[in-house]
Amino acid sequence: APTLVVIAGQLSASLAWIALCAEDAPDFIATAPATRAAIERAKIAAIALPVAMVMALPLAGLAFASPSAALVALGCGAGAGLSGALLMLWRQAPARRGLVLRRHSQSKLVALMEHWLSLCWAGVTAMAALGHVEAVAPLALAVLTLWFARPARNPAISTFTYR
């Protein structure tokens, strides 16, 4: 179950990076007759669908062996996937497609946070599947990490950047 959660988180973050940072014309998308929030929700849905399709068969097998572990893996996998996608959404650096590899290599802190979130969610999964109440600790670490990664409401207050 924890392995499935890590795969869901990493796959989601990778797809989010491609969907958010590798677009050819972010200025063209900004002129679309839709709100930014609607565009971002559509991108998150486009990221979630392939992840759900990849995870469906292993989760079905896990449900056959242990329904409670499959339920925990489903919930934590969704949390890990959403965490990875939100991290990329909040810390994206759109530019020309030709510079995609260079942009991703500049963001070491975001990559570390992405891996850290996957490990936190895997810890939640392992502890919750075994019935330990201590699963709250890695969940709190994941939420705290996302809280620190969120965009600043006032850019003048932000003390550091990720790019």
Side-chain angles (χ1 to χ4, degrees):
T3 304
L4 291 175
V5 170
V6 169
I7 291 170
Q10 294 295 310
L11 182 60
S12 174
S14 296
L15 291 175
W17 178 76
I18 290 169
L20 299 169
C21 297
E23 42 186 53
D24 275 333
D27 53 339
F28 183 67
I29 291 176
T31 62
T35 64
R36 180 179 172 158
I39 292 170
E40 289 174 353
R41 278 193 305 273
K43 286 181 180 182
I44 297 291
I47 292 162
L49 184 62
V51 174
M53 290 175 57
V54 167
M55 301 310 295
L57 189 59
L59 279 174
L62 183 60
F64 183 72
S66 173
S68 62
L71 189 60
V72 168
L74 177 66
C76 291
L82 183 61
S83 295
L86 284 175
L87 182 65
M88 293 299 152
L89 177 69
W90 291 339
R91 297 295 164 201
Q92 62 181 309
R96 289 190 335 229
R97 184 177 292 246
L99 301 175
V100 168
L101 292 177
R102 192 173 132 224
R103 280 195 324 269
H104 190 60
S105 66
Q106 292 175 346
S107 182
K108 301 292 186 212
L109 183 58
V110 173
L112 284 173
M113 290 173 69
E114 172 188 330
H115 294 304
W116 170 251
L117 284 169
S118 289
L119 290 175
C120 286
W121 281 105
V124 172
T125 305
M127 291 181 181
L130 294 173
H132 294 294
V133 179
E134 293 86 7
V136 175
L139 179 62
L141 287 173
V143 170
L144 191 64
T145 302
L146 282 174
W147 187 77
F148 280 116
R150 78 192 189 291
R153 294 200 186 268
N154 185 355
I157 295 175
S158 181
T159 57
F160 60 92
T161 61
Y162 294 101
R163 295 182 201 144

